[in-house]
Amino acid sequence: QFGAEFRRFSLDRYKPGKFEDFYKLILHIHHIASLEVMIGYADVHGDLLPINNDDNFFKAVSSAHPLLRVFIQRQGKV
C-alpha cells in the first residue's frame, strides 16, 4: 500500500530533542497524522531497531554516520 518516500531534514546530532517531537514531525512531514506508526532505523550491523522513546531516539541520531535512515511502518501491518 505504501511505497517508498524520501524526505531529508537535519537534526542536531548532540541535542536531537525529544522523541515525541520527532514522532510528530514524521507524521506531519508525511501527511499521516491520523495513522499510528512504528518508527525504526537500521543500525551499523543492518539490524532494524525501534525508535520509540527518548533514549533510543538519541542513540539512533548520535550513531548515524553519515545519515540516519528512518523506516516507518503502519502499526499492525507486517
Side-chain angles (χ1 to χ4, degrees), residues 43-76:
D43 70 0
V44 295
H45 305 291
D47 297 325
L48 188 59
L49 300 174
I51 301 175
N52 55 11
N53 61 42
D54 290 340
D55 291 336
N56 57 25
F57 173 54
F58 180 77
K59 181 166 176 80
V61 172
S62 63
S63 66
H65 294 288
L67 299 172
L68 174 62
R69 297 186 195 287
V70 175
F71 299 89
I72 305 167
Q73 186 176 19
R74 191 173 178 173
Q75 197 85 313

